[in-house]
């Protein structure tokens, strides 16, 4: 029982009056330390727990504002495609799942793109949204990443990706899987132009996303304790018939074993990205 939500809030409502509009989500429980955090305080702290530094999910808008100079950036349109290209249906129609995710997140797809300056350096940034169908990569996501890479090339800007995904979007079948080589090809073009690509792993980054463009960064950064891997731990254990090490597939383990270059708290990320771009961008 959540006593703040189930007991205290109704009492406040009754005292103030039924006509008063009181936010139902005044408090958020941290899944790590289990403390109750005032939601407004959590939001002002970039969705990081002030007690244990657990990194919650954060909106694309808030993340863009946190990394671009003076919170100034230009939103770029994602690539629009026809809904349900293969007429997929499981327990629900794919079109219904898209409609639900759009209503839930207020966005058209599992990706957002923007451009601006980071410590004076031009950058194109794409952010994946796990709240939209698990951040799954379909045609729109893949083509939008390719678009971001092309804009970076045209404007001689760095490309920075924030990944959060469960992998390829099964509702788009082979079309989704083909986004893996397509995004890799776009990054190869970026590298030929000697422009940096930095990938920031957020929780979680798994499946086909982790197995393609996410691991092709010139520099790999991760938020603390982010889950990063291709297959799930239980699947791996059953396959190799061995117990996996403690902390397997978390940022800290992967940094110790060479996949991640650095782990950076959300509060320090803008400064760290700026320092990296100062070294890697042509002046």
């Amino acid at each position: 029982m959540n006593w703040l939500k189930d007991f205290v809030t109704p009492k406040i409502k009754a005292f103030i009056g039924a006509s008063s509009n009181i936010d139902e989500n005044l408090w958020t429980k941290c899944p790590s330390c289990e403390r109750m955090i005032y939601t407004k305080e959590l939001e002002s702290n970039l969705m990081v727990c002030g007690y244990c530094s657990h990194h919650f999910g954060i909106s694309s808008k808030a993340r863009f504002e946190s990394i671009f100079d003076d919170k100034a950036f230009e939103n770029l349109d994602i690539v629009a495609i026809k809904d349900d290209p293969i007429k997929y249906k499981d327990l629900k129609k794919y079109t219904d799942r898209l409609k639900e995710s759009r209503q839930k997140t207020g966005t058209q797809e599992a990706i957002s793109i923007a451009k601006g300056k980071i410590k004076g350096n031009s950058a194109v940034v794409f952010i994946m949204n796990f709240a939209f169908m698990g951040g799954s990569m379909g045609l729109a996501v893949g083509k939008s990443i390719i678009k971001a890479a092309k804009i970076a090339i045209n404007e001689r800007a760095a490309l920075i990706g924030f990944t959060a995904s469960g992998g390829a979007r099964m509702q788009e079948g082979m079309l989704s899987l083909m986004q893996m080589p397509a995004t890799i090809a776009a990054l190869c073009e970026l590298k030929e132009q000697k422009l940096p690509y930095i990938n920031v792993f957020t929780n979680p980054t798994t499946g086909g996303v982790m197995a393609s463009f996410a691991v092709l960064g010139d520099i790999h950064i991760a938020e603390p304790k982010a889950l990063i891997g291709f297959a799930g731990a239980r699947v791996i254990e059953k396959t190799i018939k061995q117990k996996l090490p403690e902390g397997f597939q978390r940022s800290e383990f992967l940094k110790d074993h060479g996949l991640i270059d650095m782990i950076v708290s959300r509060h320090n990320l803008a400064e760290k990205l700026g320092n990296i771009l100062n070294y890697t961008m042509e002046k």
Side-chain angles (χ1 to χ4, degrees):
M1 177 179 178
N2 185 331
W3 69 275
L4 281 169
K5 180 178 178 181
D6 299 336
F7 181 76
V8 177
T9 300
K11 291 287 186 181
I12 295 173
K13 278 186 173 182
F15 177 76
I16 296 177
S19 61
S20 298
N21 182 22
I22 297 180
D23 189 353
E24 292 286 351
N25 300 307
L26 288 172
W27 301 86
T28 301
K29 185 177 181 179
C30 177
S32 179
C33 67
E34 300 187 343
R35 301 246 194 157
M36 297 302 296
I37 312 165
Y38 185 45
T39 302
K40 292 292 185 183
E41 180 182 325
L42 183 62
E43 290 171 351
S44 66
N45 200 37
L46 295 179
M47 299 302 292
V48 177
C49 176
Y51 299 103
C52 69
S53 296
H54 172 77
H55 282 50
F56 288 78
I58 185 172
S59 70
S60 298
K61 180 177 182 293
R63 195 182 286 281
F64 283 139
E65 289 178 346
S66 73
I67 62 171
F68 283 118
D69 296 348
D70 302 318
K71 299 184 179 180
F73 59 91
E74 178 185 346
N75 281 307
L76 302 173
D77 292 334
I78 64 169
V79 177
I81 65 158
K82 181 181 177 181
D83 288 349
D84 199 6
I86 64 172
K87 307 300 180 185
Y88 188 94
K89 181 180 179 181
D90 45 58
L91 296 177
K92 293 181 181 179
K93 291 181 179 179
Y94 179 33
T95 51
D96 292 338
R97 293 190 184 279
L98 286 171
K99 187 181 298 182
E100 289 173 3
S101 290
R102 286 166 180 165
Q103 289 175 345
K104 174 184 174 183
T105 63
T107 61
Q108 279 296 108
E109 256 296 341
I111 192 168
S112 300
I113 315 172
K115 66 178 181 178
K117 299 283 188 179
I118 300 177
K119 303 302 181 189
N121 299 284
S122 296
V124 179
V125 179
F126 67 84
I127 296 174
M128 301 185 73
N129 182 5
F130 192 77
F132 194 109
M133 294 190 69
S136 51
M137 178 173 63
L139 274 170
V141 170
K143 289 182 178 297
S144 295
I145 292 170
I146 294 169
K147 175 181 178 177
K150 288 181 176 179
I151 293 173
I153 291 170
N154 291 337
E155 301 193 6
R156 302 300 301 171
L159 180 65
I160 300 173
F162 287 82
T163 52
S165 178
R169 187 171 297 176
M170 67 175 188
Q171 290 86 354
E172 294 184 18
M174 184 58 71
L175 297 175
S176 174
L177 293 176
M178 288 305 297
Q179 302 316 300
M180 296 172 66
T183 52
I184 291 171
L187 294 182
C188 288
E189 291 183 25
L190 191 79
K191 290 180 185 295
E192 287 174 1
Q193 296 297 317
K194 295 181 170 35
L195 293 167
Y197 167 51
I198 302 169
N199 194 76
V200 182
F201 293 88
T202 71
N203 184 51
T205 298
T206 61
V209 168
M210 190 272 179
S212 57
F213 64 87
V215 291
L216 293 180
D218 298 295
I219 295 175
H220 292 154
I221 300 174
E223 291 189 332
K225 298 182 180 178
L227 175 64
I228 305 165
F230 179 63
R234 282 181 295 179
V235 173
I236 297 172
E237 285 187 336
K238 287 182 179 180
T239 302
I240 66 175
K241 295 179 173 53
Q242 292 182 33
K243 185 70 176 175
L244 295 172
E246 184 73 22
F248 183 73
Q249 293 184 322
R250 293 289 173 177
S251 304
E252 292 74 13
F253 182 92
L254 295 174
K255 179 179 179 295
D256 290 342
H257 289 79
L259 179 66
I260 303 299
D261 295 303
M262 60 189 78
I263 298 171
V264 182
S265 169
R266 197 172 288 163
H267 296 107
N268 303 323
L269 194 52
E271 181 179 0
K272 182 63 69 175
L273 288 171
N275 291 338
I276 292 170
L277 295 181
N278 285 337
Y279 283 108
T280 57
M281 292 292 290
E282 294 179 355
K283 300 299 181 182

